[in-house]
């Protein structure tokens, strides 16, 4: 080795100085990115939350203050008369019970059927299953209005008109649920399934003891979405039901709207009341919606 190959102390010191400065620049850049992303999220939250805040606060205003000029966000004389009038003017207790029955049963069936379908589409290699999956996805390209007439004829011919079963059964199988479970089960390593088969586990046991516990986050996410879809559904229950004792919440809110005039205070109160179960369910189950450990039970 010649003398030129030996690193000089000055070079070593300068290299150390450079290596010490780089992490500072990286940390500063990451902090700037985090702050900018957080700021953007807060701006979007305010844009989406401001109309909802205005809507909720307007339900606390008397009817005479809703269209007063200038418009105010905070009610000067807050009152709950709109909520009381909405609850008394319609049979909301019965509407809530009917809607809860429809939503709970539909959600349970939707999650179960979608989980089974998604597992079969993801873990079984068959060309007919692939064609069936394409047919399921094709249903998402059709507007819901196009499918109302044939669905109504089928349900009526089955004798399910004016019944809860006529509302529940057509909503059980959803393309969104099948797609969510299929994409999740595709991320589960096949080695986990093969190891269970080598240990002598049957297909049903593999599905119930391994796949179902792993898919818990997807099940809860779909359950929240399905409950929300059925709670806010209006067109299909309106077509299927003609008995006032079987009406759902959304039909009950529509019955408050008059032909000549609209009592906005009562309508806003009824709308806020209908939002309470959805908000409560989201707040309770949001902490369970998290990523699953799909590598559990596997060794390197």
């Amino acid at each position: 080795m010649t003398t030129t190959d030996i690193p000089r102390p000055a070079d070593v010191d300068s290299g150390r100085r450079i290596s010490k400065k780089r992490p500072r620049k990286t940390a500063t850049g990451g902090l700037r990115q985090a702050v900018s992303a957080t700021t953007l999220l807060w701006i979007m939250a305010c844009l989406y939350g401001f109309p909802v805040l205005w809507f909720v606060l307007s339900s606390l205003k008397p009817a005479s203050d809703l269209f007063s000029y200038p418009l105010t966000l905070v009610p000067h004389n807050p009152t709950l008369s709109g909520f009381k009038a909405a609850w008394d003017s319609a049979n909301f207790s019965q509407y809530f019970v009917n809607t809860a029955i429809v939503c709970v049963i539909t959600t349970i069936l939707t999650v179960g059927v979608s989980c089974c379908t998604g597992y079969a589409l993801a873990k079984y290699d068959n060309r007919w299953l692939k064609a069936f999956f394409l047919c399921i996805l094709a249903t998402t390209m059709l507007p819901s209005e196009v499918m109302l007439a044939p669905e109504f004829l089928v349900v009526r011919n089955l004798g399910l008109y004016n019944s809860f079963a006529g509302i529940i059964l057509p909503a059980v199988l959803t393309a969104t649920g099948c797609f969510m479970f299929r994409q999740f089960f595709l991320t589960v390593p096949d080695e986990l399934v093969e190891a269970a088969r080598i240990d002598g586990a049957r297909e049903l046991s593999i599905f119930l003891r391994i796949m179902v516990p792993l898919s818990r986050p997807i099940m809860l996410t779909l359950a929240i979405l399905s409950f929300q879809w059925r709670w806010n559904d209006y067109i299909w229950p309106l077509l299927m039901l003609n008995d006032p004792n079987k009406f759902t919440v959304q039909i009950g809110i529509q019955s408050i709207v008059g032909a000549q005039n609209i009592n906005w205070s009562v309508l806003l109160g009824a709308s806020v009341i209908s939002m309470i179960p959805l908000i409560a369910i989201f707040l309770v189950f949001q902490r369970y919606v998290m990523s699953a450990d799909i590598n559990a039970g596997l060794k390197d």
Side-chain angles (χ1 to χ4, degrees):
M1 179 183 294
T2 60
T3 56
T4 56
D5 296 330
I6 300 174
R8 290 178 294 180
D11 296 336
V12 175
D13 294 339
S14 61
R16 291 177 180 177
R17 292 171 186 172
I18 295 173
S19 61
K20 291 180 180 180
K21 292 180 180 179
R22 287 177 181 174
R24 294 180 182 178
K25 293 181 179 179
T26 305
T28 305
L31 180 60
R32 291 177 180 176
Q33 293 178 359
V35 170
S36 61
T38 304
T39 304
L40 180 60
L41 290 176
W42 274 109
I43 293 174
M44 294 180 63
C46 293
L47 291 176
Y48 282 96
F50 181 75
V52 179
L53 179 63
W54 188 293
F55 169 73
V56 174
L57 293 178
S58 297
S59 65
L60 300 175
K61 296 180 181 180
S64 58
D65 295 344
L66 288 174
F67 300 99
S68 61
Y69 185 82
L71 296 176
T72 58
L73 176 63
V74 181
H76 297 293
N77 300 314
T79 178
L80 299 177
S81 59
F83 295 92
K84 185 177 183 302
W87 190 267
D88 295 339
S89 62
N91 191 9
F92 257 90
S93 59
Q94 185 64 40
Y95 297 158
F96 265 78
V97 172
N98 297 339
T99 311
I101 293 174
V102 172
C103 292
V104 171
I105 296 177
T106 305
T107 299
I108 295 175
L109 294 178
T110 299
V111 172
V113 172
S114 299
C115 185
C116 297
T117 306
Y119 174 72
L121 294 174
K123 293 304 179 183
Y124 291 100
D125 188 10
N126 190 296
R127 60 179 182 178
W128 298 111
L129 286 177
K130 296 179 180 178
F132 179 64
F133 177 64
L134 293 177
C135 294
I136 294 177
L137 289 182
T139 59
T140 61
M141 305 177 187
L142 296 175
S144 57
E145 292 79 6
V146 175
M147 304 176 63
L148 285 178
E151 285 183 357
F152 177 80
L153 294 176
V154 171
V155 172
R156 187 195 62 181
N157 294 335
L158 291 175
L160 301 178
Y161 180 73
N162 194 30
S163 64
F164 290 152
I167 303 176
I168 295 172
L169 293 180
V172 169
L173 184 61
T174 62
T176 303
C178 296
F179 180 78
M180 290 173 59
F181 276 100
R182 177 185 179 273
Q183 295 304 114
F184 174 78
F185 285 133
L186 285 176
T187 62
V188 178
D190 294 335
E191 291 80 2
L192 188 61
V193 179
E194 295 299 332
R197 290 172 179 169
I198 292 174
D199 291 339
R202 298 182 179 181
E203 295 298 324
L204 184 60
S205 178
I206 294 173
F207 174 72
L208 294 178
R209 296 185 178 182
I210 299 177
M211 293 300 173
V212 171
L214 285 178
S215 62
R216 178 183 174 186
I218 307 299
M219 296 175 68
L220 292 174
T221 303
L222 182 60
I224 294 174
L225 293 176
S226 177
F227 192 93
Q228 177 185 356
W229 294 336
R230 303 287 76 82
W231 188 273
N232 293 327
D233 197 4
Y234 169 70
I235 297 296
W236 184 246
L238 182 64
L239 292 176
M240 290 302 303
L241 301 175
N242 59 7
D243 186 0
N245 294 324
K246 296 181 180 179
F247 283 172
T248 57
V249 170
Q250 302 304 324
I251 303 178
I253 294 176
Q254 189 273 339
S255 63
I256 297 176
V257 180
Q260 300 296 331
N261 55 358
I262 301 175
N263 192 337
W264 289 102
S265 179
V266 177
L267 181 60
L268 290 174
S271 301
V272 173
I273 291 174
S274 67
M275 292 169 52
I276 294 176
L278 297 179
I279 297 175
I281 289 175
F282 177 77
L283 293 178
V284 170
F285 292 103
Q286 66 170 346
R287 64 191 184 96
Y288 296 104
V289 181
M290 60 187 69
S291 58
D293 185 11
I294 61 177
N295 293 319
L298 290 179
K299 295 183 178 180
D300 296 334

